[in-house]
Each structure stands twice: as C-alpha cells, then as structure tokens.
Amino acid sequence: MDNTVRGGLTHAASFPVERLREAETPLYYYDTRLLRQTLDAVNTAASHPAFRVHYAVKANTNPGILSRVAAAGLGADTVSIGEVEAAVAAGFPAADIVFAGVGKTDREITRALRLGVGCLNVESAEELEVIIEIAASLGVKAPVALRVNPEVDAHTHHYITTGLAENKFGIALSMLRPLMERCRDSEHLDFRGLHFHIGSQVTDLTPYRLLCERINALQEEYEGFPIPWINVGGGLGIDYADPDAHPIPDFDAYFEIFARHLQLRPDQEVHFELGRAIVAQCGSLITRVTYVKQGVAKKFVIVDAGMTDLIRPALYQAHHKIENITSTATEEAVYDVVGPVCESSDCFGRDERLPITHRGDLLALRSAGAYGEVMASAYNCRTLPGSLFSEGD
Ligand SMILES: *Cc1c(COP(=O)(O)O)cnc(C)c1O
C-alpha cells in the first residue's frame, strides 16, 4: 500500500503482515498512529474556545481505543450505563461524560447520578419526570439537556437517520416549551442545554448548516431562557470507498460550518459527539481465506470472518474496501467475498477485483474501526474476534 500525505502528515497505511500471519483470525487491527493523528486533527480543528468534543463511545468500546481517546482530552458520549462505566474505567472524567438514550432505566439513571456524569440527555417528558423523582430521592440536582428532534434530513441511510419527526429519538419541537419550563423551574434539575443529532455517515455538510439555522431560530424563540450548552451531536461521515485518499476526515470544514453559522450567546459552549469520524479509518478487520471455491458462474473467496464479526454490510448494505495484504500476484480475478455464517446476507463484496487469491491469504476489510468490533456477536456459536494494536497493548 502506498503512503498518503494529508495536511502535512504522512500516513503509512501498511500492515505488519508477519505479525498478522501468526495471529488468530479474524481479528481487528488498529493503527494507533493514525488514531493519534486523527485525534490531533480533531483537537486542532476544534480549537475554538467555545467548542468541546466528545467521543461517541458506541462506535468502538475496545479499552485500547477508549484510553487513547480519553488521553487526547475528549469527553465521552454514552448510550447505556455499561458505556458510562467503560468510559470511567478508561479514564474519562465523569463530569465529561454525557449519557443519552431513549430508554434509560431507573437503575441506569440512579447509577449515572451517583457517578456524577456531566449531563443526562433527556429524550421524553416521561423520562424527565423519572429523573426528577430519582434526583429528589438521592438529594442531588440532576444535570440535564433536552434532546430535540430538529427535523433536519441528514440524507443518509434510513436506518441511521435520527433527526426526522417520525423517529423514536428526541423531543418534537412542538412539545419543547413545557419541558424547557419544567427544567428551569424544578429544584431537582440543573438545565444544561439542548441536544441534537441528525444521523450518521453524513458526508455532505449542508445538513449541518441547516441544523445551525434551526438552532439559531430556536435560540431566538427561547430568548431569556438560559441555555449554557448547545450539543450538535455527531454523524460526520468518512470515505469508505478510498480510505487511503482520506484517512482523516475534513474536520476543518466540519467545525468551520458551526463556527460560521451558529450564533452563540456569550459564554455558551458547543458540544460535538463524533464517533465514526474518529475511529473508523484506524481499524481493519483482518481475515484469512479458508477456501477459494469455483461455482458454476462465479468464484467465491470464503473467509473466516463473517457478519458476526462485521455486520455493517449485512445490516446497512455498507461496503468496506477489501484488500489482499499477502498476495504478491500481479494478475487479478473477480470474486464474491463471503463469510461462513448460514445467512445469504453474510457477504462482504460482490464482484470484487482482487489479485489472484489463494487459501491462506489474508484480506483486510478497511475502515472497520467504527461499528465493527463493538457490534460483533456470537451467532452460530462463533468466537468473538480479537484485536491487535500497531503499537502497545
Ligand atoms: C451514534 C451517536 C453519535 C455518533 O454518531 P457517529 O455517526 O458515529 O458520529 C452521536 N450522538 C448520538 C446521540 C448518537 O446516538
């Protein structure tokens, strides 16, 4: 693989083939140098004094990833008490953890308040009342933000769009005012602000500009209401088709949209919750070819990884770039690359052009650092994939 230069950084996306040959496959391989460069790029691009970046923990909860992100000084955005605990264990200060989710249980809310998380992002009137009850019984003031459904279309896959009126997330704009008042007036709540999230794998930045305009209008509508934080969520997408051309997303352009279009009040903070954009490109799923099978009309490369190790292709019709990292062949052939699981959707690529591939070769499924390892399952009684870091761990 070639070296890619971006923003003055040299990124050698090469794999330690000998180490990987000896490792048990399938496994996730993480390029820690690229992760560090990505975190540096985020911190540089978000250097605006009002900006605070959180990492959306659900993208990857591998402790080696979490501790590195925590060390870079980001906060954490979490969606279950398990994620809150994992973030605390990895070194994120509790005060820098926000906890979102439509179905937080009483046990989760209690534990989060006891741990002192920075904010609960509330998704309904019903949840807000439960938080008030629990905060009262613990004798604490619960820090809360209201998750508002901004009705901005992220133009992404319908399974990962979250900001539209009909979806289960957030509070409708039309239902917001009484909840804002409840937050302001309850002695058991400490109102932190408003939270938005429009969806995931957003590659056209226009929806973010529309989100800024929607937030500006809301801030005018709620003039006089203290709103210390605006949390604009995450969703910035990455280049799955050509990871070596864009190993690091264009964070400058992303943060610039908010710096330019969001009208902030004095002392107001803007929070961001990026998941995929931070961890996707540093991870690859490494898998070994078990068989090259000649069918009637097609050749199949059957690998030892399946949808249980990387479910995005089966779940979202996603495609990860596939590379044969051990082949020295100069000639190519066309293959379907499939896993061993008993489901027809267990397919990583159709009509993939690869160097002539043999049993025992290693393939890398690129850009798999986000929503990869963390979504692995044991369906078919399969073993969960391991992980390997380019340095340390
Ligand atoms: C999933 C999620 C994110 C992160 O999404 P990415 O697309 O990985 O950036 C941020 N905020 C909330 C509320 C989420 O649910």
Side-chain angles (χ1 to χ4, degrees):
M1 241 179 298
D2 59 2
N3 288 2
T4 307
V5 178
R6 195 191 167 285
L9 301 170
T10 302
H11 170 59
S14 57
F15 292 94
V17 172
E18 289 319 310
R19 251 176 104 197
L20 293 172
R21 263 192 211 283
E22 274 157 36
E24 211 170 295
T25 52
L27 94 162
Y28 278 88
Y29 172 72
Y30 296 108
D31 179 342
T32 49
R33 192 158 74 104
L34 178 57
L35 176 60
R36 197 168 54 242
Q37 290 173 344
T38 306
L39 290 164
D40 287 348
V42 169
N43 281 330
T44 304
S47 60
H48 188 297
F51 288 5
R52 186 85 188 83
V53 183
H54 291 250
Y55 165 59
V57 166
K58 74 175 190 279
N60 190 321
T61 49
N62 186 305
I65 297 282
L66 287 182
S67 58
R68 286 175 168 87
V69 177
L74 277 67
D77 160 50
T78 61
V79 293
S80 73
I81 201 66
E83 285 192 357
V84 172
E85 305 268 12
V88 169
F92 291 93
D96 293 342
I97 298 175
V98 300
F99 181 14
V102 291
K104 299 180 201 77
T105 64
D106 296 20
R107 189 184 63 83
E108 289 183 305
I109 292 166
T110 305
R111 178 80 181 131
L113 291 176
R114 286 222 168 98
L115 284 169
V117 301
C119 192
L120 298 172
N121 290 342
V122 179
E123 307 225 11
S124 64
E126 294 79 359
E127 181 192 343
L128 190 64
E129 292 309 315
V130 171
I131 291 173
I132 290 172
E133 266 173 47
I134 294 174
S137 75
L138 295 176
V140 300
K141 247 172 137 64
V144 295
L146 296 174
R147 176 164 176 179
V148 179
N149 201 324
E151 289 164 34
V152 170
D153 190 345
H155 297 293
T156 184
H157 191 284
H158 66 283
Y159 280 11
I160 51 179
T161 186
T162 57
L164 293 176
E166 70 269 25
N167 87 31
K168 73 173 177 177
F169 300 101
I171 296 159
L173 288 166
S174 60
M175 297 170 78
L176 187 59
R177 185 167 289 273
L179 298 187
M180 293 277 283
E181 287 165 357
R182 187 85 172 111
C183 287
R184 184 190 55 193
D185 300 338
S186 167
E187 58 179 323
H188 302 297
L189 298 180
D190 173 17
F191 183 59
R192 305 308 304 151
L194 298 175
H195 174 224
F196 307 85
H197 176 62
I198 59 172
S200 205
Q201 184 52 14
V202 178
T203 48
D204 165 16
L205 296 178
T206 311
Y208 290 117
R209 189 173 48 71
L210 298 176
L211 175 63
C212 289
E213 287 165 8
R214 188 57 51 91
I215 295 170
N216 293 341
L218 261 181
Q219 295 231 77
E220 262 178 49
E221 192 180 335
Y222 289 93
E223 213 187 330
F225 251 99
I227 306 176
W229 297 350
I230 297 290
N231 182 331
V232 298
L236 178 64
I238 60 130
D239 187 350
Y240 281 100
D242 195 353
D244 292 316
H246 302 109
I248 299 176
D250 192 348
F251 292 116
D252 290 334
Y254 171 75
F255 287 107
E256 173 67 15
I257 293 268
F258 295 94
R260 182 178 302 192
H261 296 284
L262 204 55
Q263 285 155 16
L264 293 182
R265 298 175 181 178
D267 299 325
Q268 203 166 35
E269 287 180 22
V270 187
H271 292 205
F272 300 85
E273 304 171 327
L274 296 173
R276 186 189 317 265
I278 292 172
V279 292
Q281 296 292 32
C282 75
S284 295
L285 176 60
I286 307 296
T287 181
R288 206 176 305 258
V289 175
T290 312
Y291 299 106
V292 178
K293 169 176 170 174
Q294 180 64 61
V296 178
K298 290 198 143 189
K299 276 205 224 1
F300 295 93
V301 166
I302 302 171
V303 294
D304 63 1
M307 63 191 283
T308 50
D309 305 292
L310 179 63
I311 202 174
R312 296 188 67 259
L315 190 58
Y316 310 123
Q317 290 109 41
H319 183 260
H320 290 258
K321 186 176 179 202
I322 303 174
E323 278 170 32
N324 185 325
I325 61 171
T326 49
S327 169
T328 50
T330 49
E331 272 174 56
E332 294 182 324
V334 172
Y335 305 95
D336 279 12
V337 178
V338 301
V341 175
C342 297
E343 300 281 345
S344 306
S345 59
D346 187 29
C347 174
F348 292 119
R350 291 183 207 286
D351 301 322
E352 293 280 335
R353 185 170 289 280
L354 294 173
I356 301 289
T357 293
H358 301 284
R359 169 178 165 83
D361 284 355
L362 294 179
L363 306 188
L365 289 134
R366 302 287 306 278
S367 315
Y371 308 109
E373 185 181 1
V374 79
M375 286 177 122
S377 81
Y379 179 47
N380 281 196
C381 277
R382 285 171 55 78
T383 308
L384 293 176
S387 64
L388 188 71
F389 286 76
S390 59
E391 49 195 58
D393 305 75

Coordinates of all heavy atoms in Angstrom, one line a residue, residues 230-271:
I230 N -25.0 24.0 23.8 CA -25.7 23.5 22.6 C -24.9 22.3 22.2 O -23.7 22.4 21.9 CB -25.7 24.6 21.4 CG1 -26.4 25.8 21.8 CG2 -26.2 23.9 20.2 CD1 -27.9 25.7 21.9
N231 N -25.6 21.2 22.2 CA -24.9 19.9 21.7 C -25.4 19.6 20.4 O -26.6 19.3 20.2 CB -25.1 18.8 22.8 CG -24.4 17.5 22.4 OD1 -24.2 17.2 21.3 ND2 -24.1 16.7 23.4
V232 N -24.5 19.6 19.4 CA -24.9 19.4 18.0 C -24.8 18.0 17.5 O -25.0 17.7 16.3 CB -24.2 20.4 17.0 CG1 -24.5 21.8 17.3 CG2 -22.7 20.1 17.0
G233 N -24.5 17.1 18.4 CA -24.4 15.6 18.1 C -23.2 15.3 17.2 O -22.2 16.0 17.3
G234 N -23.3 14.2 16.5 CA -22.2 13.7 15.7 C -22.7 13.4 14.3 O -23.5 14.1 13.7
G235 N -22.1 12.4 13.7 CA -22.6 11.9 12.4 C -21.6 12.2 11.2 O -21.9 11.7 10.1
L236 N -20.5 12.9 11.4 CA -19.7 13.2 10.3 C -19.2 11.9 9.7 O -18.7 11.0 10.4 CB -18.5 14.1 10.8 CG -17.4 14.4 9.7 CD1 -18.0 15.3 8.6 CD2 -16.2 15.1 10.3
G237 N -19.3 11.8 8.4 CA -19.0 10.5 7.7 C -17.6 10.4 7.3 O -16.8 11.4 7.4
I238 N -17.2 9.3 6.7 CA -15.9 9.0 6.3 C -15.9 8.4 4.9 O -16.9 8.0 4.4 CB -15.1 8.0 7.2 CG1 -15.8 6.7 7.3 CG2 -15.0 8.6 8.6 CD1 -14.9 5.5 7.1
D239 N -14.7 8.3 4.3 CA -14.6 7.8 2.9 C -14.4 6.3 2.9 O -13.2 5.8 3.1 CB -13.5 8.5 2.2 CG -13.4 8.2 0.7 OD1 -14.1 7.2 0.3 OD2 -12.6 8.8 0.0
Y240 N -15.4 5.5 2.8 CA -15.3 4.1 2.8 C -14.7 3.6 1.5 O -14.0 2.5 1.5 CB -16.7 3.4 3.0 CG -17.1 3.4 4.5 CD1 -18.0 4.3 4.9 CD2 -16.6 2.5 5.4 CE1 -18.4 4.3 6.3 CE2 -17.0 2.5 6.7 CZ -17.9 3.4 7.1 OH -18.3 3.4 8.5
A241 N -14.9 4.3 0.4 CA -14.5 3.8 -0.9 C -13.0 3.9 -1.0 O -12.4 3.0 -1.6 CB -15.2 4.6 -2.0
D242 N -12.4 5.0 -0.5 CA -11.0 5.2 -0.7 C -10.3 5.7 0.6 O -10.0 6.8 0.7 CB -10.8 6.2 -1.8 CG -9.3 6.2 -2.3 OD1 -8.5 5.5 -1.7 OD2 -9.1 6.9 -3.3
P243 N -10.2 4.8 1.5 CA -9.6 5.2 2.9 C -8.2 5.8 2.8 O -7.8 6.6 3.6 CB -9.6 3.9 3.7 CG -9.8 2.8 2.7 CD -10.5 3.3 1.5
D244 N -7.4 5.4 1.8 CA -6.1 5.9 1.7 C -6.0 7.3 1.2 O -5.1 8.1 1.5 CB -5.2 5.0 0.9 CG -5.0 3.7 1.6 OD1 -4.7 3.7 2.8 OD2 -5.1 2.6 0.9
A245 N -7.0 7.7 0.4 CA -7.1 9.1 -0.1 C -7.6 10.0 1.0 O -7.1 11.1 1.1 CB -8.1 9.2 -1.3
H246 N -8.4 9.5 1.9 CA -8.9 10.3 3.0 C -8.9 9.6 4.4 O -9.9 9.2 4.9 CB -10.4 10.7 2.7 CG -10.6 11.5 1.5 ND1 -11.2 11.0 0.4 CD2 -10.2 12.7 1.1 CE1 -11.2 11.9 -0.6 NE2 -10.5 12.9 -0.2
P247 N -7.6 9.3 4.8 CA -7.5 8.6 6.1 C -8.1 9.4 7.3 O -8.5 8.9 8.3 CB -6.0 8.4 6.3 CG -5.4 9.4 5.4 CD -6.3 9.7 4.3
I248 N -8.0 10.8 7.1 CA -8.5 11.6 8.2 C -9.6 12.5 7.6 O -9.4 13.2 6.6 CB -7.4 12.5 8.8 CG1 -6.3 11.6 9.4 CG2 -7.9 13.5 9.8 CD1 -5.1 12.3 9.9
P249 N -10.8 12.5 8.2 CA -11.9 13.3 7.6 C -11.6 14.8 7.6 O -10.7 15.2 8.4 CB -13.1 13.0 8.6 CG -12.8 11.8 9.3 CD -11.3 11.7 9.3
D250 N -12.3 15.6 6.9 CA -12.0 17.0 6.8 C -12.7 17.7 8.0 O -13.7 18.3 7.9 CB -12.6 17.6 5.5 CG -12.1 19.0 5.2 OD1 -11.5 19.6 6.2 OD2 -12.2 19.5 4.1
F251 N -12.0 17.6 9.1 CA -12.5 18.2 10.4 C -12.6 19.7 10.3 O -13.4 20.4 10.8 CB -11.7 17.8 11.6 CG -11.8 16.3 11.9 CD1 -10.7 15.5 11.8 CD2 -13.0 15.8 12.3 CE1 -10.8 14.1 12.1 CE2 -13.1 14.5 12.6 CZ -12.0 13.6 12.5
D252 N -11.6 20.3 9.5 CA -11.6 21.8 9.4 C -12.9 22.3 8.8 O -13.5 23.2 9.3 CB -10.4 22.2 8.5 CG -9.1 22.0 9.2 OD1 -9.1 22.0 10.5 OD2 -8.1 21.9 8.5
A253 N -13.3 21.6 7.7 CA -14.6 22.1 7.0 C -15.8 21.9 7.9 O -16.7 22.7 8.0 CB -14.7 21.3 5.7
Y254 N -15.8 20.8 8.7 CA -16.9 20.4 9.6 C -17.0 21.5 10.7 O -18.1 22.1 10.9 CB -16.7 19.0 10.1 CG -17.6 18.6 11.2 CD1 -18.9 18.3 11.0 CD2 -17.2 18.6 12.6 CE1 -19.8 17.9 12.0 CE2 -18.0 18.2 13.6 CZ -19.3 17.9 13.3 OH -20.2 17.5 14.3
F255 N -15.9 21.7 11.4 CA -16.1 22.7 12.5 C -16.3 24.1 12.1 O -16.9 24.9 12.7 CB -14.8 22.6 13.4 CG -14.8 21.3 14.3 CD1 -13.9 20.3 14.0 CD2 -15.7 21.1 15.3 CE1 -13.9 19.1 14.7 CE2 -15.7 20.0 16.1 CZ -14.8 18.9 15.8
E256 N -15.7 24.4 10.9 CA -15.9 25.7 10.3 C -17.4 26.0 10.1 O -17.8 27.2 10.3 CB -15.1 25.8 8.9 CG -15.3 27.0 8.1 CD -14.7 28.3 8.7 OE1 -13.9 28.1 9.7 OE2 -15.1 29.4 8.3
I257 N -18.2 25.0 9.7 CA -19.6 25.2 9.4 C -20.3 25.8 10.7 O -21.0 26.8 10.7 CB -20.3 23.9 9.1 CG1 -19.9 23.4 7.8 CG2 -21.8 24.0 9.2 CD1 -20.7 23.8 6.6
F258 N -19.9 25.2 11.9 CA -20.5 25.6 13.1 C -20.0 27.0 13.6 O -20.7 27.8 14.1 CB -20.3 24.5 14.2 CG -21.0 23.3 13.8 CD1 -20.4 22.2 13.2 CD2 -22.4 23.1 14.2 CE1 -21.1 21.1 12.8 CE2 -23.1 22.0 13.8 CZ -22.4 20.9 13.1
A259 N -18.6 27.2 13.4 CA -18.0 28.4 13.8 C -18.7 29.6 13.0 O -18.9 30.6 13.5 CB -16.5 28.4 13.5
R260 N -19.0 29.3 11.7 CA -19.5 30.3 10.9 C -21.0 30.6 11.0 O -21.5 31.7 11.0 CB -19.2 30.0 9.4 CG -19.6 31.1 8.5 CD -19.3 30.8 7.0 NE -17.8 30.6 6.9 CZ -17.2 30.5 5.7 NH1 -17.9 30.6 4.6 NH2 -15.9 30.4 5.7
H261 N -21.8 29.5 11.2 CA -23.2 29.6 11.1 C -24.0 29.6 12.4 O -25.1 30.0 12.4 CB -23.8 28.5 10.2 CG -23.3 28.6 8.7 ND1 -23.8 29.6 7.9 CD2 -22.4 28.0 8.1 CE1 -23.2 29.5 6.7 NE2 -22.3 28.5 6.8
L262 N -23.3 29.1 13.4 CA -24.1 29.0 14.7 C -23.9 30.3 15.5 O -22.8 30.8 15.7 CB -23.5 27.8 15.5 CG -24.4 27.2 16.6 CD1 -25.7 26.7 16.0 CD2 -23.7 26.0 17.2
Q263 N -25.0 31.0 15.8 CA -25.0 32.2 16.5 C -25.0 31.9 18.0 O -26.0 31.5 18.6 CB -26.1 33.1 16.1 CG -25.9 33.7 14.8 CD -27.2 34.1 14.1 OE1 -28.3 34.2 14.7 NE2 -27.1 34.3 12.8
L264 N -23.8 32.1 18.7 CA -23.7 31.7 20.1 C -24.0 32.9 21.0 O -23.7 34.0 20.6 CB -22.3 31.2 20.4 CG -22.0 29.9 19.7 CD1 -20.6 29.5 20.1 CD2 -23.0 28.8 20.1
R265 N -24.6 32.6 22.1 CA -24.7 33.6 23.2 C -23.4 33.7 23.9 O -22.6 32.8 23.9 CB -25.8 33.2 24.2 CG -27.2 33.1 23.5 CD -28.2 32.6 24.5 NE -29.5 32.4 24.0 CZ -30.5 31.9 24.6 NH1 -30.4 31.6 25.9 NH2 -31.7 31.9 24.1
P266 N -23.2 34.8 24.7 CA -21.9 34.9 25.4 C -21.8 33.7 26.4 O -22.8 33.3 27.0 CB -22.1 36.2 26.2 CG -23.2 37.0 25.5 CD -24.0 36.0 24.8
D267 N -20.6 33.2 26.5 CA -20.3 32.1 27.4 C -21.0 30.8 27.1 O -21.0 29.8 27.8 CB -20.6 32.4 28.9 CG -19.8 33.6 29.4 OD1 -18.6 33.7 28.9 OD2 -20.3 34.4 30.1
Q268 N -21.6 30.7 25.9 CA -22.3 29.4 25.6 C -21.2 28.4 25.0 O -20.3 28.9 24.3 CB -23.3 29.7 24.5 CG -24.4 28.7 24.4 CD -25.6 29.2 23.6 OE1 -25.5 29.9 22.6 NE2 -26.8 28.8 24.0
E269 N -21.4 27.2 25.4 CA -20.5 26.1 24.9 C -21.2 25.3 23.8 O -22.4 25.1 23.8 CB -20.1 25.1 26.0 CG -19.2 25.7 27.0 CD -18.8 24.6 28.1 OE1 -19.0 23.4 27.8 OE2 -18.4 25.1 29.2
V270 N -20.4 24.9 22.8 CA -20.9 24.0 21.8 C -20.3 22.6 22.0 O -19.0 22.5 22.0 CB -20.6 24.5 20.3 CG1 -21.4 23.6 19.3 CG2 -21.0 25.9 20.2
H271 N -21.1 21.6 22.1 CA -20.6 20.3 22.2 C -20.8 19.4 20.9 O -21.8 19.6 20.3 CB -21.2 19.5 23.4 CG -20.9 20.2 24.7 ND1 -20.9 19.5 25.9 CD2 -20.5 21.4 25.1 CE1 -20.6 20.2 26.9 NE2 -20.3 21.4 26.4

